[in-house]
Amino acid sequence: MGSVYKPPDSVVVNRIQRAFPSDELRERARATNLIQRERKLDVVALFYTLSLGFAAGSDRSIQAFLERYVETADC
């Protein structure tokens, strides 16, 4: 049996960033009134934390979400 191809992390990250461009995420956040001005909330970090980090983790507490958001947003 052949082994399953696993692309390097950089390839995966690049594909995700192309699928969900930061500028487009910010535009949609403004268009849907999620944010009216950018201050402390980083919409891109929030999106990635909710969709990729927080949902996939085994610990789904508010504290775990906050820790992942801070890590993603580099706060």
Side-chain angles (χ1 to χ4, degrees):
M1 293 190 157
S3 63
V4 176
Y5 170 71
K6 291 185 179 183
D9 290 345
S10 60
V11 172
V12 174
V13 169
N14 185 286
R15 288 179 184 171
I16 291 170
Q17 289 173 338
R18 281 196 327 238
F20 303 103
S22 298
D23 292 340
E24 187 175 319
L25 291 173
R26 286 187 182 92
E27 275 182 40
R28 289 180 186 258
R30 279 198 264 332
T32 59
N33 290 325
L34 175 66
I35 59 168
Q36 294 177 356
R37 58 186 172 206
E38 290 191 43
R39 285 190 161 189
K40 294 183 180 182
L41 179 68
D42 183 348
V43 175
V44 176
L46 179 64
F47 171 79
Y48 286 127
T49 302
L50 284 173
S51 61
L52 302 174
F54 185 63
S58 58
D59 184 5
R60 293 191 176 123
S61 66
I62 296 297
Q63 183 63 36
F65 168 77
L66 178 60
E67 289 169 3
R68 286 188 183 93
Y69 173 79
V70 168
E71 181 182 307
T72 304
D74 287 332
C75 296

